[in-house]
């Protein structure tokens, strides 16, 4: 039997070699003809085709999303075949994929932080689209939809992207203090994730200009410049993303670019006449059944909820900032943005609090 399979594959190879482009695979359809005494075996080339959308799917944190994936046989089969579906997520900084969900027939199982919030849509025959509920920032990325029929399999990729905002981050102990691992953790502490190159690029197109190099999710270090100038790669260089390329994840230290998406709940400003110290600000938010806001939450509120407030307030990391959507005199530079006072040693500011709805 094994030998036979070898012969079949050889035959198919010669049949396929003339095709200019081949998207799919052929498997052997074996029929036994019992009519004339001995077994005759016919081979029909039947192609399994898996279709996924070519464009990225854009949505936001907290949404439910369907990553579409459909398969069919060409030519069509009279009888359904037993297949296995496997969804996995490609990892940016490693070669091993992350398991998301496997399904055989009506049974399915999802893995890790996908368990309990994913299932297959199965609206029609051949529909093996993946539904993910309550999207998290970490869910962004490329997903592989794999259809396995016996020993053969065919797959397609769906790119899931989140709408959001990229912000540069420097910790309280100063410039260029984070290795890659610390950079990732630092973003997570701000209710954000380390930004991807695509996210940084999109923000650059929208006007982000920052003259300090920061880590990205792929382990490279880059920075976005919209207005060329001497200390930021030189006046003669065209605007763009300046790259230091891949850096050593343990040994090299930079700032980081973080990414945040839509925020459930709200960020608001609290004050008292003489202002708060950082500790008083935390307490004031708690007394209001809220918590002091994180940097990623302030950016998300500025970007998505158009929070505009010309009053400096404490955030959880000990920095003092304020969000401006409509630039005006005495509220910082002429562009919209989140203004940053750094990490003041003394009090006298308001507080930005975050409350879940
Ligand atoms: C997502 O789906 C769940 C369950 O069907 C539903 O309760 C929730 O409101 C949906 N969320 C959004 C943002 O549509």
């Amino acid at each position: 039997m094994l030998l036979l399979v070898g012969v079949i594959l050889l035959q198919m190879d010669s049949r396929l070699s003339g095709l200019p482009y081949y998207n799919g695979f052929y498997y052997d359809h074996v029929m036994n003809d019992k009519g004339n005494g001995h077994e005759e075996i016919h081979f029909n080339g039947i192609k399994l085709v898996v279709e996924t959308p070519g464009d990225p799917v854009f949505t936001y944190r907290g949404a439910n999303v369907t990553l579409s994936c459909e398969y069919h046989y060409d030519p069509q089969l009279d009888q359904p075949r037993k297949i296995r579906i496997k969804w996995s997520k490609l990892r940016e900084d490693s070669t091993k994929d992350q398991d998301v969900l496997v399904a055989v027939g009506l049974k399915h199982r999802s893995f890790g932080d996908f368990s309990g919030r994913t299932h297959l849509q199965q609206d029609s025959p051949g529909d093996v689209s993946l539904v993910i509920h309550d999207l998290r920032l970490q869910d962004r990325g490329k997903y592989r939809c794999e259809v396995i029929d016996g020993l053969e399999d065919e797959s397609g990729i769906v790119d899931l992207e989140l709408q959001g905002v990229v912000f540069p981050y420097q910790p309280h102990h100063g410039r260029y203090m984070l290795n890659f691992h610390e950079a990732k953790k630092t973003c997570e502490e701000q209710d954000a994730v380390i930004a991807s190159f695509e996210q940084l690029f999109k923000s650059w197109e929208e006007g982000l200009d920052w003259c300090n190099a920061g880590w990205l999710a792929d382990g490279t270090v880059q920075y976005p410049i919209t207005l060329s100038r001497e200390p930021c790669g030189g006046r003669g260089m065209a605007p763009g993303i300046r790259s230091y390329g891949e850096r050593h994840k343990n040994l090299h230290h930079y700032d980081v670019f973080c990414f945040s998406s839509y925020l459930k709940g709200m960020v608001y400003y609290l004050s008292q006449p003489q202002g708060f110290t950082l500790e008083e600000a935390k307490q004031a938010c708690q007394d209001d059944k809220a918590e002091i806001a994180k940097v990623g939450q302030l950016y998300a509120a500025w970007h998505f909820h158009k929070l505009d407030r010309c009053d400096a307030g404490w955030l959880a990391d000990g920095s003092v900032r304020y969000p401006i959507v409509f630039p005006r005199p005495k509220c910082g530079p002429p562009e919209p943005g989140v203004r940053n006072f750094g990490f003041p040693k003394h009090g006298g500011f308001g507080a930005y609090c975050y409350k879940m709805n």
Side-chain angles (χ1 to χ4, degrees):
M1 188 60 207
L2 275 179
L3 193 66
L4 189 59
V5 169
V7 171
I8 295 164
L9 290 177
L10 266 178
Q11 269 193 346
M12 292 200 316
D13 276 352
S14 61
R15 195 166 46 191
L16 293 179
S17 56
L19 298 176
Y21 175 69
Y22 171 64
N23 176 25
F25 75 85
Y26 285 84
Y27 74 92
D28 18 284
H29 188 165
V30 180
M31 291 186 301
N32 293 333
D33 182 357
K34 297 210 168 81
N36 55 5
H38 63 95
E39 287 191 345
E40 244 184 52
I41 300 170
H42 303 275
F43 306 112
N44 296 332
I46 293 183
K47 197 162 65 161
L48 171 61
V49 180
V50 172
E51 284 173 310
T52 48
D55 291 331
V57 177
F58 266 94
T59 181
Y60 51 90
R61 169 163 60 179
N64 302 328
V65 73
T66 303
L67 305 184
S68 119
C69 179
E70 296 195 0
Y71 75 91
H72 64 265
Y73 293 92
D74 186 18
Q76 265 187 10
L77 297 182
D78 301 334
Q79 289 192 336
R81 290 178 57 88
K82 186 149 190 168
I83 48 133
R84 215 154 61 83
I85 305 298
K86 182 175 176 193
W87 276 93
S88 44
K89 184 169 187 282
L90 314 190
R91 284 205 173 102
E92 218 152 349
D93 60 346
S94 108
T95 48
K96 201 180 171 318
D97 294 349
Q98 177 187 2
D99 289 339
V100 175
L101 175 145
V102 291
V104 181
L106 291 173
K107 292 202 195 82
H108 79 263
R109 182 175 164 206
S110 42
F111 299 89
D113 59 351
F114 288 102
S115 66
R117 57 190 190 101
T118 52
H119 65 267
L120 291 187
Q121 182 166 260
Q122 292 178 314
D123 273 357
S124 55
D127 176 14
V128 290
S129 304
L130 179 73
V131 179
I132 312 178
H133 287 274
D134 196 15
L135 279 179
R136 299 170 186 174
L137 293 175
Q138 292 79 358
D139 293 342
R140 184 208 75 85
K142 293 189 166 62
Y143 290 74
R144 175 183 287 116
C145 168
E146 199 173 351
V147 180
I148 302 152
D149 179 336
L151 294 175
E152 308 285 2
D153 72 295
E154 190 55 37
S155 64
I157 302 281
V158 188
D159 189 1
L160 171 63
E161 292 292 339
L162 298 179
Q163 315 270 11
V165 55
V166 169
F167 60 95
Y169 191 86
Q170 224 169 63
H172 66 91
H173 46 294
R175 184 175 187 249
Y176 291 178
M177 300 302 282
L178 304 169
N179 72 22
F180 177 75
H181 310 288
E182 291 158 348
K184 263 179 95 162
K185 192 161 158 275
T186 298
C187 289
E188 281 155 24
E189 286 164 0
Q190 301 313 320
D191 195 20
V193 286
I194 187 167
S196 69
F197 175 78
E198 290 80 6
Q199 290 165 346
L200 183 68
F201 187 83
K202 192 156 177 278
S203 300
W204 169 76
E205 287 182 316
E206 290 163 5
L208 183 66
D209 181 289
W210 192 251
C211 198
N212 294 294
W215 288 102
L216 295 177
D218 60 3
T220 62
V221 171
Q222 319 206 26
Y223 62 98
I225 295 297
T226 49
L227 191 67
S228 296
R229 50 201 188 274
E230 211 46 57
C232 316
R235 236 184 273 276
M237 237 171 131
I241 311 269
R242 316 269 194 251
S243 179
Y244 290 3
E246 242 173 76
R247 304 269 92 188
H248 195 291
K249 287 188 174 134
N250 298 329
L251 300 181
H252 292 146
H253 293 77
Y254 293 96
D255 295 343
V256 61
F257 291 98
C258 304
F259 173 84
S260 181
S261 182
Y262 185 82
L263 187 66
K264 281 185 202 167
M266 65 166 183
V267 172
Y268 61 98
Y269 178 79
L270 273 187
S271 66
Q272 63 178 18
Q274 71 278 26
F276 299 121
T277 63
L278 174 59
E279 288 315 310
E280 287 165 350
K282 288 180 180 170
Q283 191 59 51
C285 291
Q286 269 178 30
D287 292 346
D288 203 35
K289 298 197 169 46
E291 56 187 66
I292 191 164
K294 295 170 177 169
V295 177
Q297 294 166 343
L298 184 63
Y299 268 93
W302 167 74
H303 185 85
F304 287 100
H305 303 299
K306 303 284 174 246
L307 182 66
D308 180 292
R309 181 100 211 189
C310 196
D311 295 298
W314 290 105
L315 297 173
D317 64 341
S319 64
V320 167
R321 304 176 195 237
Y322 64 93
I324 295 296
V325 176
F326 308 104
R328 50 202 181 271
K330 298 196 182 126
C331 303
E335 303 82 35
V338 173
R339 320 297 191 207
N340 187 357
F341 280 36
F343 298 87
K345 295 266 182 302
H346 304 288
F349 302 101
Y352 283 98
C353 307
Y354 168 60
K355 194 181 271 189
M356 297 260 275
N357 284 348

